[in-house]
Amino acid sequence: MKKMNKCEHGYIKWEKQKKLMAVILYVIIGVAIFVTGYLLNDHSKSNVFTVVAVVLVLPAAKHAVAFIILAPYHTLAEDAFQNVIGHLPPEAVVLTDYVFTSPEKVMGLAYLMLYEGNAIGLVANDKQELNYMNTYLGKGIHDLSPNYHVKIVADETDFLRLCDKANHVEITDKQQEAVEAWVRSLAV
């Protein structure tokens, strides 16, 4: 499998496959170690092999939790992705397959465009709370760059319209880099 970075198109699909494969692998290895110990120690569960097999539950659980967090989100179809990307400025930073966390929630955006002092996002599914997302991302971004405009929408047409009509906001390169780094740091 080709390595993918967070916020790239196809990341959610790739990461879910990777996490599921890791869980299956840990379970198979754990069961094999347990059975080996059971057979080598006269059908007794009380041995070091059992301890090793139980310890393998920890990394398996870690990967299972990551899979469960990503499970409700999906990578968009390639043609839909290309259609949206074709409407955005080539200089824009576009994060896709963007699943991020706050202290209270896990949220997802199909796209988040960072361009000329604007952060415009499209929710990944309709069950997301737009007000919470706008407030959470807005507060974090405004702490780094007070002039930044933040808007998260639920409709692709609104997203494209906002991207087309985004006004240039005066920000420094340092503020742009700080905003991009912070937004990327939230990604799961």
Side-chain angles (χ1 to χ4, degrees):
M1 271 194 258
K2 178 187 112 170
K3 173 149 174 46
M4 296 194 77
N5 295 318
K6 293 178 182 179
C7 308
E8 282 183 9
H9 180 68
Y11 175 76
I12 291 174
K13 180 179 179 184
W14 177 79
E15 190 69 6
K16 286 193 316 191
Q17 289 174 346
K18 189 176 94 172
K19 295 299 181 190
L20 187 59
M21 295 287 282
V23 169
I24 292 168
L25 184 64
Y26 280 118
V27 168
I28 290 171
I29 292 170
V31 168
I33 290 172
F34 175 78
V35 169
T36 301
Y38 185 76
L39 295 175
L40 290 176
N41 290 297
D42 300 322
H43 303 287
S44 170
K45 293 183 278 184
S46 301
N47 59 63
V48 73
F49 290 95
T50 301
V51 173
V52 173
V54 169
V55 169
L56 281 176
V57 168
L58 297 173
K62 176 185 173 191
H63 289 286
V65 167
F67 178 82
I68 290 167
I69 287 172
L70 292 174
Y73 304 100
H74 305 283
T75 294
L76 296 172
E78 183 66 27
D79 56 337
F81 170 72
Q82 291 301 331
N83 180 42
V84 169
I85 293 300
H87 284 85
L88 303 179
E91 313 83 37
V93 174
V94 181
L95 308 178
T96 63
D97 285 7
Y98 182 57
V99 177
F100 63 103
T101 60
S102 73
E104 295 95 29
K105 298 179 187 256
V106 176
M107 300 161 278
L109 294 175
Y111 305 98
L112 179 63
M113 181 191 77
L114 304 174
Y115 180 64
E116 294 187 340
N118 295 282
I120 303 168
L122 175 64
V123 295
N125 64 46
D126 297 335
K127 298 174 186 169
Q128 309 266 319
E129 293 182 36
L130 280 176
N131 290 337
Y132 183 83
M133 293 173 86
N134 274 304
T135 302
Y136 180 72
L137 287 176
K139 181 181 177 335
I141 289 173
H142 286 133
D143 287 347
L144 299 167
S145 180
N147 296 334
Y148 233 89
H149 292 255
V150 178
K151 185 68 177 170
I152 309 299
V153 296
D155 181 62
E156 187 174 316
T157 307
D158 291 341
F159 172 75
L160 293 173
R161 184 181 48 76
L162 287 170
C163 290
D164 287 339
K165 295 183 179 187
N167 295 325
H168 173 76
V169 177
E170 234 8 87
I171 58 167
T172 65
D173 288 342
K174 187 176 179 180
Q175 288 174 323
Q176 177 66 24
E177 290 169 8
V179 167
E180 184 178 344
W182 181 77
V183 168
R184 286 185 185 274
S185 75
L186 298 177
V188 174

